[in-house]
Amino acid sequence: MQAKKPEGTEDLFGARMRAWQAMQATAADVFGRYGFSAIETPAMEQVDVFVHGIGQSTDVVRKEMFRVFSGQNFANVLEAGTDAKLKPGKRLALRPEGTAGFVRAAVENTFVPQGGAPVKMWYAGPMFRGERVQKGRLRQFHQVGAEVLGAPDPALDAEVIIMLMDFYEELGLDRSKMRLLINSMGDPACRPAYRDAVATFIREHADEMCEECLVRADTNPLRAFDCKNDACRAVMADAPLITDALCDECAEHYAKVKQYLDEAGIAYEEDPTLVRGLDYYTRTVFEVQVTEGMGAQSAIGGGGRYDGLMELEGGKPTPGIGFAVGFERIMLALEAQGVNLAGPEPTCVYVVSAAPECRDAVFRACLGLRRAGVTAEADYQGRSMKSQMKQADKHHARLCVIIGPDELAAGEATVRDMRTHEQRSVPLENLACDVRDLVNDDAFAQADFPA
Ligand code: AMP
């Protein structure tokens, strides 16, 4: 049987892999300027990390989490029909997002000591959600995210949003084709009353709304704003708005965030119905959407403040804020805008063996070139010289080193510029250094060369 990759997953290689690497390099660069360092947490965590952090009532936890059981545990769970008897440490899930695991790591490693400065970290990696697969919506997808812990200052909210917009621009996305939506979701002082008001509103319109929204009225009423059902949308258009229900502190915080964004010249739209899907958000929330070429999945990133999350994960109360962006959706947006994030295929120097007896010298030449820092390729299949030259083109070689019997006897190699077809002889003993200098020569590196 020939196995296939699981539905909603992807093998990353070639140009797409280079694009993913380019995105991470851009993140390291842009986020580094804002004082962020990198972190990698495990791809699986205890289920409780997500239940506490994301919320039992969210779709992500209720329906979309991939559970993980090791050997004997799996057998026990199958037999018992439930995992209720497993110890918490054995009840594992693949991470559906990065923040809960990051906060778990922050608590476990005491990232925020008493009076500590804000901790700023970013991550990149695969996330897993058992969703209905469609364009831009996968079961294993990749996110780049950033998190700040330790300060409630609205300047941080603004800086994190500005950093996110810098990141998109650096990736090559056109600012005029993106919408930045912002909102405040209030805090424990004002949100409960607002939630109740929305729940009451839904119940008052029960006969016009879908079954799921009626359940949401009891579990997570704000999620009704995200319902895709047209009738529910029409009803929710008249629902009470959080902006009218914010307490003074939250209203002031929100005003400050907007002031800083204005100062930075960042255009945004206020959307009082923006309630992000995960339970942990407080105050500032934001989402970035692309306006062209994306179909239904137009959100390319989002995040918000989560001042209560550290406590939910067993830590001391510590404010936090962060965001995550999706690699696959950004790729769709970049493709729609004609931007190639992957860049050209890397070039190499191709070393050609003009006769079988030169093979060993080719081996030595490749070794010397690579050790001098030059990317070198050669033939391993005894191809003819003509076919090796074709291979050189396939590898986008800008230079070929040709070693034939006559050259070998003279202790030389021929170096051929594949663009101009100019050739010169180089002593084999100087080959690595000469080729390295040539490849590193700016004029040579920048010369227009058909990819
Ligand atoms: P979220 O963690 O749901 O706020 O998602 C943050 C970003 O991750 C979204 O804006 C998307 O770009 C991306 N994303 C979320 N879920 C998926 C998915 N199933 N497939 C691909 N990208 C996703």
Side-chain angles (χ1 to χ4, degrees):
M1 185 197 87
Q2 195 196 337
K4 294 218 160 65
K5 60 183 183 296
E7 193 189 355
T9 68
E10 187 189 4
D11 299 312
L12 272 186
F13 58 93
R16 220 163 147 78
M17 187 66 200
R18 289 205 303 282
W20 172 229
Q21 288 171 327
M23 187 176 285
Q24 293 176 71
T26 305
D29 180 32
V30 175
F31 302 168
R33 269 184 254 152
Y34 285 80
F36 285 68
S37 62
I39 180 170
E40 188 168 316
T41 59
M44 60 184 172
E45 296 275 351
Q46 290 184 23
V47 167
D48 288 344
V49 168
F50 305 120
V51 171
H52 296 160
I54 302 175
Q56 181 63 60
S57 67
T58 56
D59 284 354
V60 168
V61 167
R62 279 196 309 134
K63 302 187 209 156
E64 296 169 3
M65 238 170 16
F66 283 103
R67 307 288 296 264
V68 179
F69 302 105
S70 63
Q72 189 54 43
N73 292 327
F74 181 55
N76 294 345
V77 169
L78 276 187
E79 198 182 321
T82 166
D83 68 353
K85 291 215 178 80
L86 285 185
K87 293 204 176 95
K90 303 230 152 86
R91 298 171 66 234
L92 305 174
L94 296 179
R95 60 182 179 191
E97 54 93 66
T99 304
F102 166 74
V103 170
R104 190 273 311 144
V107 175
E108 196 167 341
N109 300 291
T110 328
F111 285 162
V112 192
Q114 196 78 42
V119 170
K120 302 176 178 179
M121 291 188 175
W122 72 275
Y123 60 83
M127 306 293 158
F128 308 84
R129 294 183 196 173
E131 302 205 75
R132 205 161 46 79
V133 176
Q134 53 180 250
K135 187 176 169 194
R137 201 201 277 159
L138 294 135
R139 291 187 165 175
Q140 176 174 343
F141 56 99
H142 295 80
Q143 284 187 340
V144 169
E147 315 284 355
V148 183
L149 285 173
D153 189 342
L156 273 178
D157 304 37
E159 283 188 6
V160 159
I161 294 173
I162 297 165
M163 179 172 95
L164 173 63
M165 300 315 284
D166 283 359
F167 178 60
Y168 288 131
E169 279 194 51
E170 203 98 342
L171 291 175
L173 282 168
D174 183 344
R175 181 66 182 88
S176 69
K177 293 182 179 145
M178 284 185 275
R179 294 171 73 201
L180 166 63
L181 306 177
I182 63 167
N183 189 24
S184 172
M185 290 184 68
D187 67 3
C190 53
R191 190 151 51 152
Y194 174 67
R195 270 175 73 116
D196 289 348
V198 175
T200 305
F201 176 85
I202 295 172
R203 289 189 197 106
E204 281 167 5
H205 295 80
D207 50 344
E208 299 159 69
M209 300 192 70
C210 72
E211 286 292 320
E212 187 133 7
C213 280
L214 298 186
V215 175
R216 285 178 179 136
D218 296 325
T219 56
N220 199 348
L222 303 194
R223 294 291 286 150
F225 283 110
D226 284 344
C227 185
K228 301 280 179 284
N229 187 317
D230 285 342
C232 297
R233 289 170 84 97
V235 173
M236 291 307 287
D238 294 324
L241 294 177
I242 181 77
T243 15
D244 300 326
L246 293 179
C247 60
D248 289 349
E249 286 76 14
C250 285
E252 201 180 309
H253 184 99
Y254 189 38
K256 242 359 211 178
V257 175
K258 288 186 282 183
Q259 177 202 316
Y260 287 132
L261 290 178
D262 290 337
E263 267 179 44
I266 299 285
Y268 56 85
E269 293 168 44
E270 289 183 66
D271 179 355
T273 67
L274 176 68
V275 288
R276 304 219 1 108
L278 313 180
D279 266 2
Y280 51 59
Y281 289 112
T282 51
R283 294 194 167 167
T284 314
V285 287
F286 49 94
E287 186 164 290
V288 181
Q289 297 177 353
V290 172
T291 47
E292 279 175 24
M294 296 283 291
Q297 309 300 325
S298 64
I300 55 167
R305 185 164 269 291
Y306 48 80
D307 291 347
L309 185 55
M310 279 284 276
E311 265 173 292
L312 290 174
E313 298 290 1
K316 295 204 188 77
T318 311
I321 179 163
F323 63 72
V325 305
F327 165 69
E328 289 78 7
R329 298 232 186 122
I330 289 179
M331 287 300 284
L332 286 175
L334 287 171
E335 278 155 20
Q337 294 178 18
V339 180
N340 173 13
L341 181 59
E345 266 189 57
T347 62
C348 73
V349 170
Y350 200 90
V351 187
V352 174
S353 168
E357 63 270 29
C358 304
R359 182 64 188 87
D360 292 354
V362 167
F363 174 84
R364 280 192 292 275
C366 282
L367 198 63
L369 286 166
R370 291 168 184 153
R371 287 184 171 164
V374 177
T375 306
E377 260 302 347
D379 169 53
Y380 299 90
Q381 280 155 314
R383 288 186 171 93
S384 70
M385 184 156 161
K386 193 170 158 209
S387 154
Q388 288 182 60
M389 295 306 283
K390 273 198 193 145
Q391 286 297 310
D393 281 336
K394 256 198 180 158
H395 283 279
H396 306 286
R398 303 193 60 164
L399 281 182
C400 264
V401 173
I402 303 162
I403 304 180
D406 294 346
E407 280 107 340
L408 203 53
E412 290 182 340
T414 301
V415 175
R416 178 183 167 97
D417 186 322
M418 298 294 276
R419 183 171 39 100
T420 61
H421 304 296
E422 277 168 29
Q423 300 200 156
R424 70 173 95 167
S425 289
V426 174
L428 275 172
E429 59 192 26
N430 298 345
L431 183 71
C433 292
D434 280 13
V435 169
R436 181 193 56 205
D437 293 347
L438 199 54
V439 170
N440 291 343
D441 180 73
D442 281 350
F444 178 78
Q446 285 162 17
D448 193 25
F449 187 73

Short mmCIF file of all heavy atoms in Angstrom, two decimals, residues 206-231:
data_model
loop_
_atom_site.label_atom_id
_atom_site.label_comp_id
_atom_site.label_asym_id
_atom_site.label_seq_id
_atom_site.Cartn_x
_atom_site.Cartn_y
_atom_site.Cartn_z
N ALA A 206 -34.59 34.14 20.16
CA ALA A 206 -34.35 32.70 20.01
C ALA A 206 -35.00 32.13 18.74
O ALA A 206 -34.40 31.31 18.04
CB ALA A 206 -34.86 31.95 21.23
N ASP A 207 -36.21 32.59 18.42
CA ASP A 207 -36.89 32.00 17.26
C ASP A 207 -36.27 32.39 15.93
O ASP A 207 -36.56 31.80 14.90
CB ASP A 207 -38.39 32.37 17.29
CG ASP A 207 -38.58 33.87 17.47
OD1 ASP A 207 -37.61 34.54 17.86
OD2 ASP A 207 -39.69 34.37 17.20
N GLU A 208 -35.36 33.38 15.93
CA GLU A 208 -34.73 33.80 14.67
C GLU A 208 -33.32 33.24 14.52
O GLU A 208 -32.67 33.47 13.50
CB GLU A 208 -34.63 35.34 14.61
CG GLU A 208 -35.96 36.06 14.68
CD GLU A 208 -35.78 37.51 15.12
OE1 GLU A 208 -35.22 38.29 14.34
OE2 GLU A 208 -36.17 37.83 16.27
N MET A 209 -32.82 32.54 15.54
CA MET A 209 -31.39 32.16 15.52
C MET A 209 -31.19 30.65 15.47
O MET A 209 -32.08 29.87 15.80
CB MET A 209 -30.68 32.76 16.73
CG MET A 209 -30.79 34.28 16.71
SD MET A 209 -29.72 35.11 17.86
CE MET A 209 -28.11 34.86 17.19
N CYS A 210 -29.98 30.26 15.03
CA CYS A 210 -29.70 28.83 14.86
C CYS A 210 -29.50 28.15 16.21
O CYS A 210 -29.25 28.80 17.22
CB CYS A 210 -28.47 28.63 13.96
SG CYS A 210 -26.90 29.05 14.76
N GLU A 211 -29.60 26.81 16.16
CA GLU A 211 -29.45 26.00 17.38
C GLU A 211 -28.14 26.30 18.09
O GLU A 211 -28.08 26.46 19.31
CB GLU A 211 -29.43 24.50 17.00
CG GLU A 211 -30.78 23.95 16.61
CD GLU A 211 -31.72 23.91 17.80
OE1 GLU A 211 -31.26 23.56 18.89
OE2 GLU A 211 -32.91 24.28 17.63
N GLU A 212 -27.09 26.39 17.28
CA GLU A 212 -25.75 26.57 17.86
C GLU A 212 -25.67 27.88 18.64
O GLU A 212 -25.09 27.94 19.72
CB GLU A 212 -24.70 26.54 16.75
CG GLU A 212 -23.30 26.54 17.28
CD GLU A 212 -22.41 25.50 16.60
OE1 GLU A 212 -22.87 24.88 15.64
OE2 GLU A 212 -21.29 25.33 17.06
N CYS A 213 -26.27 28.93 18.10
CA CYS A 213 -26.23 30.22 18.80
C CYS A 213 -27.01 30.16 20.10
O CYS A 213 -26.66 30.83 21.09
CB CYS A 213 -26.75 31.34 17.90
SG CYS A 213 -25.49 31.91 16.73
N LEU A 214 -28.06 29.33 20.12
CA LEU A 214 -28.82 29.21 21.37
C LEU A 214 -27.95 28.52 22.43
O LEU A 214 -27.99 28.88 23.61
CB LEU A 214 -30.11 28.42 21.14
CG LEU A 214 -31.07 29.08 20.14
CD1 LEU A 214 -32.38 28.31 20.06
CD2 LEU A 214 -31.34 30.53 20.52
N VAL A 215 -27.15 27.55 21.99
CA VAL A 215 -26.21 26.93 22.94
C VAL A 215 -25.18 27.96 23.37
O VAL A 215 -24.82 28.07 24.55
CB VAL A 215 -25.52 25.70 22.29
CG1 VAL A 215 -24.45 25.12 23.22
CG2 VAL A 215 -26.54 24.65 21.91
N ARG A 216 -24.71 28.75 22.39
CA ARG A 216 -23.71 29.78 22.71
C ARG A 216 -24.23 30.76 23.76
O ARG A 216 -23.45 31.27 24.57
CB ARG A 216 -23.34 30.57 21.45
CG ARG A 216 -22.44 29.78 20.51
CD ARG A 216 -22.14 30.58 19.25
NE ARG A 216 -21.27 29.84 18.37
CZ ARG A 216 -21.43 29.75 17.05
NH1 ARG A 216 -22.45 30.36 16.46
NH2 ARG A 216 -20.58 29.06 16.32
N ALA A 217 -25.52 31.02 23.74
CA ALA A 217 -26.09 31.96 24.72
C ALA A 217 -25.74 31.49 26.13
O ALA A 217 -25.51 32.31 27.03
CB ALA A 217 -27.59 32.05 24.55
N ASP A 218 -25.68 30.17 26.32
CA ASP A 218 -25.35 29.66 27.66
C ASP A 218 -23.85 29.52 27.88
O ASP A 218 -23.37 29.68 29.00
CB ASP A 218 -25.98 28.26 27.86
CG ASP A 218 -27.50 28.34 27.82
OD1 ASP A 218 -28.02 29.36 28.32
OD2 ASP A 218 -28.13 27.42 27.28
N THR A 219 -23.11 29.20 26.80
CA THR A 219 -21.69 28.87 27.01
C THR A 219 -20.75 30.02 26.67
O THR A 219 -19.80 30.30 27.40
CB THR A 219 -21.29 27.67 26.14
OG1 THR A 219 -21.59 27.98 24.78
CG2 THR A 219 -22.04 26.41 26.56
N ASN A 220 -20.99 30.67 25.56
CA ASN A 220 -20.02 31.63 25.04
C ASN A 220 -20.75 32.61 24.13
O ASN A 220 -20.54 32.61 22.90
CB ASN A 220 -18.96 30.81 24.25
CG ASN A 220 -17.68 31.57 24.05
OD1 ASN A 220 -17.63 32.78 24.29
ND2 ASN A 220 -16.65 30.89 23.59
N PRO A 221 -21.63 33.44 24.70
CA PRO A 221 -22.55 34.23 23.86
C PRO A 221 -21.85 35.12 22.83
O PRO A 221 -22.37 35.32 21.74
CB PRO A 221 -23.34 35.07 24.87
CG PRO A 221 -22.67 34.91 26.18
CD PRO A 221 -21.84 33.67 26.14
N LEU A 222 -20.64 35.62 23.15
CA LEU A 222 -20.00 36.55 22.21
C LEU A 222 -19.65 35.88 20.89
O LEU A 222 -19.50 36.55 19.86
CB LEU A 222 -18.73 37.15 22.84
CG LEU A 222 -18.91 37.89 24.18
CD1 LEU A 222 -17.68 38.72 24.50
CD2 LEU A 222 -20.14 38.78 24.17
N ARG A 223 -19.52 34.54 20.91
CA ARG A 223 -19.21 33.83 19.67
C ARG A 223 -20.34 33.92 18.65
O ARG A 223 -20.13 33.65 17.48
CB ARG A 223 -18.92 32.35 19.96
CG ARG A 223 -17.68 32.10 20.77
CD ARG A 223 -16.44 32.42 20.00
NE ARG A 223 -16.14 31.42 18.99
CZ ARG A 223 -15.54 31.64 17.85
NH1 ARG A 223 -15.17 32.87 17.55
NH2 ARG A 223 -15.31 30.69 16.99
N ALA A 224 -21.53 34.30 19.11
CA ALA A 224 -22.65 34.44 18.17
C ALA A 224 -22.34 35.52 17.13
O ALA A 224 -22.88 35.50 16.02
CB ALA A 224 -23.94 34.76 18.92
N PHE A 225 -21.45 36.45 17.46
CA PHE A 225 -21.06 37.48 16.48
C PHE A 225 -20.34 36.85 15.28
O PHE A 225 -20.27 37.44 14.22
CB PHE A 225 -20.13 38.52 17.12
CG PHE A 225 -20.85 39.52 17.97
CD1 PHE A 225 -20.71 39.51 19.36
CD2 PHE A 225 -21.66 40.49 17.41
CE1 PHE A 225 -21.35 40.43 20.15
CE2 PHE A 225 -22.32 41.42 18.20
CZ PHE A 225 -22.17 41.39 19.57
N ASP A 226 -19.75 35.68 15.48
CA ASP A 226 -18.99 35.02 14.42
C ASP A 226 -19.83 34.02 13.63
O ASP A 226 -19.31 33.36 12.73
CB ASP A 226 -17.80 34.26 15.00
CG ASP A 226 -16.68 35.21 15.39
OD1 ASP A 226 -16.72 36.37 14.93
OD2 ASP A 226 -15.79 34.78 16.14
N CYS A 227 -21.10 33.85 13.98
CA CYS A 227 -21.93 32.84 13.31
C CYS A 227 -22.03 33.18 11.82
O CYS A 227 -22.22 34.34 11.44
CB CYS A 227 -23.31 32.76 13.95
SG CYS A 227 -24.29 31.41 13.24
N LYS A 228 -21.90 32.13 10.99
CA LYS A 228 -21.92 32.35 9.53
C LYS A 228 -23.35 32.38 8.99
O LYS A 228 -23.57 32.77 7.84
CB LYS A 228 -21.13 31.23 8.82
CG LYS A 228 -19.68 31.13 9.25
CD LYS A 228 -18.81 32.18 8.55
CE LYS A 228 -17.37 32.14 8.97
NZ LYS A 228 -17.06 32.70 10.26
N ASN A 229 -24.31 31.94 9.81
CA ASN A 229 -25.71 31.88 9.40
C ASN A 229 -26.26 33.30 9.14
O ASN A 229 -26.15 34.18 9.99
CB ASN A 229 -26.46 31.20 10.55
CG ASN A 229 -27.88 30.92 10.22
OD1 ASN A 229 -28.57 31.76 9.64
ND2 ASN A 229 -28.32 29.72 10.57
N ASP A 230 -26.86 33.49 7.95
CA ASP A 230 -27.32 34.84 7.58
C ASP A 230 -28.34 35.40 8.56
O ASP A 230 -28.29 36.58 8.93
CB ASP A 230 -27.94 34.82 6.17
CG ASP A 230 -26.85 34.74 5.11
OD1 ASP A 230 -25.68 35.03 5.46
OD2 ASP A 230 -27.16 34.37 3.96
N ALA A 231 -29.28 34.54 9.00
CA ALA A 231 -30.32 35.02 9.91
C ALA A 231 -29.69 35.48 11.23
O ALA A 231 -30.04 36.55 11.76
CB ALA A 231 -31.33 33.90 10.18
#
